[in-house]
Amino acid sequence: MAEVTEELKQKVIDYLKTVTKAKNKEVAREIGEDKHLVDKAIAELGKEGKIEYLYLGASFIKLKE
Amino acid sequence: MADGETPLLDELEKGPWPSYVKEIKRMASKNAASKDLLGIQELSYKDKVTHWKHGGIVGVTGYGAGVIGRYTDMPDKFPNAAAFHTLRINQPAGWFYNTKSLRTICDIWEKYGSGMTNFHGSTGDIILLGTTTENLQPCFDALTDAGFDLGGSGSALRTISGCVGKARCEWSSIDTLDIIYNLTMEFQDEIHRPRWPYKFKIKTSGCPNDCSAAIARADFTIIGTWKDGLRIDQEKVREYVDKGMDINGLIVNKCPTYALEWDGKSRELKFYEDDCVRCMHCINKMPKAIRPGVDTGATILIGGKAPIIKGAYLSWVLIPFMKMEPPYDEVKDLLRKIWDWWDENGRTRERLAELIERVGLKTFLKEIGLKPVPQMVYKPRANPYVFLK
Ligand code: HEM
Ligand code: HEM
Ligand code: SF4
Ligand code: SF4
């Protein structure tokens, strides 16, 4: 499987700048990338502390302020 | 009402059973958050409305699960419990601890939290009740330094749990503890970084007695079973009968599929293997005489859940028999297929069973590449709750 690139992570961040919250699958759909790869990219961004998780009845992600 | 008095909560201390109010009061003398917790609870009872709010940003760096965020809506009145977050700590499979590790957890929690614990929560995790937002990260760091990790919460894979299995139980047809450990290590991302429509639970029981109630409590249920026949020691059967056991009344006639017959003349318990559904009843009644078979594996069931969007479901059979040996690749592949399909098609807060109900079992089987078999009864009993009249 393809690897997560910095470019992909930037695409995720750029998309998250346009919304208040999102689910992984929406991110993948909106930026037109493979879902598994986007899941990995989001996990890496989480570990790097660039995004955070929000719980509103179900879990979402958002950019860290 | 004078400050600190809790007449309504005090009612819950009456009676012969243990009371959480008594325990919180014990902590309240040492810990200001616990004191305010009593105040919030008393006021909620008085006002007949909860003074807690759910949700918000929950987690420590890199994690989106394991912290359950709770705030009071009256922070001015109860500043010490303005935030009262709970940490779920992934329990060791089978809940085995030594005293040193228990002391370590308690010391960390007295330093960073309310000091109150719940061993264990309904999820199986160690529940550390009540801390502030600022203390979450340092508490988590101290716990991970000591070798512990958070469990699941939110729209993640929940901490995997199951019965004590081969560690202590002779009926276990599968190594539940190894399965729990192996799947937990494999699915770290799924546990810590929630990305699905909603929660997903995996539970395993070593045999159909299902001591962990995996059928009622998990979206994905792994239950130990066997393919060959029961092992029957006829000598021991006769011993039970000679000691006065009513073998027809208690065993033969209670077998759900009439797979047993007691021949009074030859004094032999006849067994019709093809008719046995491996329910454990005769084994439970005559543990010295009857044992499960030796060609062991698991039945995989899906869809158990409590009522939230729709009603409660019990899990139903998906795969009648699967070998369960490390590294459990078959189970892992199946889980990944199910998750991909559910994540793609599920609506927010829709559990796997609800999605299957919405689109149909046929569609689900086709999508994950399984052929229908007669054992896939959909669904045997929808409401697991027993109402006593
Ligand atoms: C009407 C109010 C409430 C409802 C309907 C409610 C409902 C629930 C439900 C359905 C769960 C299980 C969730 C799961 O399976 O993950 C749960 C768990 C939990 N709730 Fe609540 N809750 C309420 C109030 C509260 C309050 C006020 C607190 C704390 C201040 C709280 C703390 C927790 C904790 C710590 C758990 C996890 C328990 C465990 O894992 O054993 N809840 N709640
Ligand atoms: C009149 C005295 C006692 C009564 C009525 C009693 C009753 C029980 C019951 C009903 C259980 C649950 C069994 C089950 O899960 O099926 C239990 C478990 C247990 N009891 Fe007792 N008990 C008594 C005395 C003791 C004493 C004196 C000890 C230890 C010195 C003890 C240690 C335990 C332990 C360790 C378990 C858990 C066993 C397990 O989880 O497998 N009990 N007891
Ligand atoms: S479910 Fe079966 S194997 Fe597990 S503890 Fe209960 S009786 Fe033993
Ligand atoms: S295990 Fe259950 S189904 Fe099988 S013979 Fe015993 S009672 Fe009958």
Side-chain angles (χ1 to χ4, degrees), chain B residues 103-309:
Chain B
R103 283 201 181 89
T104 305
I105 295 171
C106 292
D107 287 347
I108 293 172
W109 193 236
E110 287 199 329
K111 184 163 174 203
Y112 295 105
S114 74
M116 281 189 292
T117 64
N118 170 15
F119 279 74
H120 297 84
S122 52
T123 50
D125 304 78
I126 305 165
I127 305 290
L128 303 181
L129 287 156
T131 190
T132 59
T133 308
E134 304 77 63
N135 274 357
L136 286 173
Q137 189 69 43
C139 183
F140 169 75
D141 294 343
L143 286 163
T144 46
D145 281 347
F148 293 95
D149 197 0
L150 294 183
S153 70
S155 310
L157 174 60
R158 300 308 181 82
T159 313
I160 302 166
S161 91
C163 82
V164 75
K166 288 189 172 172
R168 269 201 346 204
C169 181
E170 62 193 300
W171 301 140
S172 198
S173 282
I174 51 176
D175 191 343
T176 53
L177 302 192
D178 189 54
I179 293 166
I180 293 167
Y181 181 75
N182 192 304
L183 296 184
T184 301
M185 297 314 277
E186 176 87 11
F187 296 126
Q188 284 290 296
D189 253 354
E190 285 77 0
I191 292 173
H192 298 313
R193 285 167 271 280
R195 62 171 187 242
W196 292 324
Y198 203 29
K199 66 182 95 168
F200 193 94
K201 301 180 180 177
I202 304 175
K203 287 189 168 64
T204 174
S205 281
C207 82
N209 281 334
D210 193 13
C211 293
S212 66
I215 285 199
R217 304 197 302 143
D219 302 85
F220 191 92
T221 305
I222 306 171
I223 301 220
T225 186
W226 58 94
K227 246 183 169 171
D228 49 343
L230 297 171
R231 286 174 286 165
I232 302 178
D233 180 339
Q234 297 293 344
E235 198 50 50
K236 289 276 183 342
V237 174
R238 287 190 276 276
E239 265 176 42
Y240 274 105
V241 174
D242 291 341
K243 282 185 186 150
M245 175 174 261
D246 174 8
I247 188 158
N248 279 315
L250 289 177
I251 294 156
V252 172
N253 297 339
K254 292 272 160 64
C255 168
T257 43
Y258 307 106
L260 296 168
E261 197 183 327
W262 172 241
D263 184 336
K265 273 213 183 92
S266 66
R267 289 171 39 88
E268 194 175 325
L269 185 64
K270 294 207 170 120
F271 173 58
Y272 303 96
E273 188 178 322
D274 286 351
D275 291 333
C276 171
V277 290
R278 297 159 181 84
C279 77
M280 295 296 290
H281 171 74
C282 60
I283 300 174
N284 292 335
K285 280 289 176 196
M286 300 175 115
K288 289 180 181 156
I290 311 183
R291 286 186 292 163
V294 293
D295 187 2
T296 56
T299 299
I300 308 288
L301 305 93
I302 46 158
K305 62 175 280 293
I308 290 202
I309 292 187

Side-chain angles (χ1 to χ4, degrees), chain A residues 24-58:
Chain A
N24 288 23
K25 78 166 170 190
E26 291 159 11
V27 178
R29 197 171 52 221
E30 293 301 324
I31 67 174
E33 299 279 353
D34 174 68
K35 169 76 169 48
H36 292 123
L37 215 50
V38 170
D39 283 341
K40 268 197 186 172
I42 289 171
E44 283 184 23
L45 288 169
K47 287 178 209 166
E48 290 163 15
K50 292 186 180 144
I51 58 141
E52 58 193 346
Y53 295 83
L54 190 64
Y55 186 78
L56 300 164

